[in-house]
Every structure is written in C-alpha cells, then in structure tokens.
Amino acid sequence: MLDSLAAVRGCPSRAIEGASLCTAVSRQRDPWAAADELAAALHHETLGFVLFFCSAEYPLPALSAALNAAFPEVPVAGCTTAGEITPQGYGRGCIVAIGLDRRDFAVSCALVEDLEGFDLLRAQHLVDGLLAECRDRAVAPLAEHSFALTLLDGLSSSEEQVLATLDAALGRIPSFGGSAGDDNRLAHTHVHAEGRFHGQAAVVVMINTLLPFEVFTTHHLRPRAEKLVVTRADRARRRVLELNALPAAEEYARLVGVPLAALDATAFARHPLAVRLGEAHYVRSIQGVNDDGSLSFYCAVENGIVLTAMQPAPLLEDLEAVFTGLTERLGEPTLIIGCDCFLRRLELEVLGQVDTASRLLAHSRVIGFNTYGEQHHGMHINQTFTGVAIGSRPR
C-alpha cells in the first residue's frame, strides 16, 4: 500500500463527521494570524474544546493571548513540539489543532504544576474532578467510554513518577500521551492550559464519548542478543556512567559498531536500547554523550537494569500494519491523535522516507506531534508511535 497511496487527502483544514471533529493547521508565523486561521476553520455553534500542538518557534506569550482571543468561550489545551503532524502529514514550524463537538465529546482538563509533589491523593482528587465534569455533561456513561490524554513538560525528568501515580488513580480508564518538545533544541518545553503556557508542568485531558475508540502503541524495534548491564548510574539526572563496568559511551559505541566520535542523535535513533518487562521490550532512548563519557537518557535509568540492544525493522510497514488493524476493529477511523517520537522522524529523514510517511499519516487521518517521549497506560516510553484512534458513530 505504501507505494500506491494516493496524493495527500484533505486541505489545510478539514471537518470530519459533520462538525463532530474538525482539524486545522496554520503555517502563519504571526501568532495572531495563526490563531485567526485556526478559529476560522474550527469555530461552530457546538464547539466544545480545542486541542493544539505548536512549534516552539512561536512567541509563546503572544500565541496564548491570540488563542484566548480567538476562542474566548472554549477551553484550549496543548503543548510545544519537536515537529507537527498535520492533515498533510509531517509539518515543521506550524500549529495544528483539533476541535471537538460538545454533542459527541465531554471534555475536561486539569493542570498539574507541582510535578514532584504529585502524590496519589492529589492524583485521585484530580481524576475525580475530571470525571465529575464529564458526568455532568451526560454525553456517555463513564465506564468503557472515557480515555485520558497526558501532555508533559518533556524536560522535567518527572514523567515516571507522575504517570505511575496518575495511572493508579485512573484505574481501568486507558491513557496515552506525549512529552512536549522544543524543535530538537532540548532547552525549554511547555504545555498549555488555563490560558497560558507552563514549564515544569503537565496537562491531563479526560475525553468521554459514545464514539468507538482504541488507545494503542507500537514500535518497529526488534531485540538483538547483546545485553548491557547498568553498573553505575546517576538516577536523578538520568545518566548512565558505566555499562558492563566500563565507561558507558565507549561500551555502547563498541556494542553498536559506531566510532565514539560519531555518536549523535542519528546513531542513537538507529541503535536504541530497551528494558525487557515480561515479553515486551520498552525502549530507553539515549539523549546524548556527556563530557565525562556518560550517556544521558530520555527515560529513567538505575543501577542493575539490563539493557537489550535493539535493531530497527521497516518502520512504515509496522505503522501501516497497526493502522490496518485499527480499521479492521473500528472501521475507518474518523481521526487518530498521534504522539510520534521525534527519533522516529529523524530515522525517516535519514532513510529519505519522510514524504512516504506523510502520505501514510494523511491517508490514515492522523493529527498530532513529534514528542520527547510517549506515555501509554502509566508507562513512559521512547521511540514509539502512541495514540488513540476514534471511529465513526455506528450507522
């Protein structure tokens, strides 16, 4: 199918299923012009919530003010990105948004500003409040008809604690999400709620609907035989100083067959490491090499864990198979909200497959962003495509 996909469907803005879900993208660099373009595409009488993903190149205070003015009576949430997924596929330097109709979606949103103090009591209070708001809007029974989206500051180093705590409070409610990016600068990432952008924070969005949906995750990486044991780590800074009792960067370079001086984001994307839990492997992506020869990771690392070397299988074949399975179970999705690790996009760029990937994403009706990490059922993971597929109302 990949070679035979038709030209990208849709236009910069697209309404789906009447006004139930609308999507829009603006490539205007002026934040006021961008917000006005989104509003022109998304506004209708029963618009209930706007979810957006934007380049960190925008002047964020001005963008907040512009979005507040463009959607004065509609809650708006979102985050900065390491790249956007638009109705035409991968984008860069733009803002993409989804409008949800309040007749089909009850949406509630909460901001978490104290990530380190986010304990189970606070998580349960937050979840109870979100569910109460959704229940009051009487769109659908809460059980089996609700899912949660989490957006986190991608440089906070608090993802594991926050997600595990939140998952315990959510119980059987499925959840997914992504860590905010900043166009691969690794300097400052932000989430947006309550009318402005926030650093060192998280946003939790509860969505309740009668439309069928499925939360999912996938990666294209397969285990190799080689193992590395973390023998010295700085857990607080997510750094591994030694692997197999040897300097971490040197031992990793030896394992993957790449010169130490050539270790960069491309090498890390092509030669990831993973932790095995049960029968599944969860990738622990490397962020960079430090001056002391240690390796910084995007996920938590600690002494004694065993890391398995992974090798990539064809990325787009794996993703296409996932989309095909979703269509078989749900019917053709109305929309897929996708959180796609920026390292996957980097791999596609190296392989010269970005245009093909964009056609697949557009054909599959994906809107989303490239992340600094993904979230799935309370797990913080890397180098995955994680999201929710929303089906059509049964006829």
Side-chain angles (χ1 to χ4, degrees), residues 20 89 98 144 156 167 175 194 206 218 220 279 297 326 331 381:
S20 180
I98 304 166
E144 312 301 329
S156 67
D167 189 61
S175 63
E194 298 182 357
M206 186 72 70
T218 187
H220 65 300
E279 297 301 315
F297 282 70
L326 291 167
I381 48 185

Side-chain angles (χ1 to χ4, degrees), residues 69-192:
F71 300 99
E73 299 179 0
V74 178
V76 177
C79 69
T80 56
T81 76
E84 300 77 53
I85 304 176
T86 78
Q88 296 81 42
Y90 283 132
R92 182 79 73 184
C94 60
I95 178 169
V96 63
I98 304 166
L100 291 85
D101 191 317
R102 63 174 179 264
R103 294 170 298 182
D104 283 323
F105 297 92
V107 185
S108 55
C109 179
L111 174 69
V112 180
E113 293 188 277
D114 181 11
L115 297 181
E116 292 186 2
F118 190 66
D119 56 20
L120 185 56
L121 184 62
R122 296 180 186 183
Q124 194 64 64
H125 179 73
L126 179 146
V127 170
D128 290 346
L130 294 176
L131 290 174
E133 284 188 45
C134 288
R135 184 185 297 111
D136 289 344
R137 291 168 189 170
V139 169
L142 296 180
E144 312 301 329
H145 296 284
S146 304
F147 62 89
L149 164 66
T150 52
L151 302 173
L152 275 150
D153 181 328
L155 300 176
S156 67
S157 298
S158 299
E159 293 96 328
E160 285 82 10
Q161 172 199 335
V162 171
L163 292 172
T165 304
L166 181 63
D167 189 61
L170 286 170
R172 295 176 59 189
I173 297 173
S175 63
F176 79 100
S179 297
D182 64 348
D183 297 292
N184 303 356
R185 295 190 185 95
L186 300 175
H188 302 287
T189 63
H190 296 81
V191 298
H192 183 280

Side-chain angles (χ1 to χ4, degrees), residues 239-254:
R239 286 190 178 186
V240 172
L241 288 78
E242 291 183 358
L243 291 167
N244 296 342
L246 295 170
E250 292 181 16
E251 181 66 356
Y252 170 78
R254 181 198 64 78

Side-chain angles (χ1 to χ4, degrees), residues 257-276:
V258 175
L260 182 61
L263 292 182
D264 58 13
T266 301
F268 300 142
R270 295 291 292 167
H271 305 284
L273 303 173
V275 175
R276 179 175 177 176

Side-chain angles (χ1 to χ4, degrees), residues 30-92:
D30 176 77
W32 293 90
D36 287 345
E37 188 171 0
L38 296 181
L42 299 181
H43 257 312
H44 56 81
E45 290 182 356
T46 53
L47 178 66
F49 191 85
V50 173
L51 177 67
F52 76 90
F53 310 110
C54 73
S55 167
E57 295 176 3
Y58 282 101
L60 298 184
L63 182 59
S64 284
L67 290 171
N68 293 338
F71 300 99
E73 299 179 0
V74 178
V76 177
C79 69
T80 56
T81 76
E84 300 77 53
I85 304 176
T86 78
Q88 296 81 42
Y90 283 132
R92 182 79 73 184

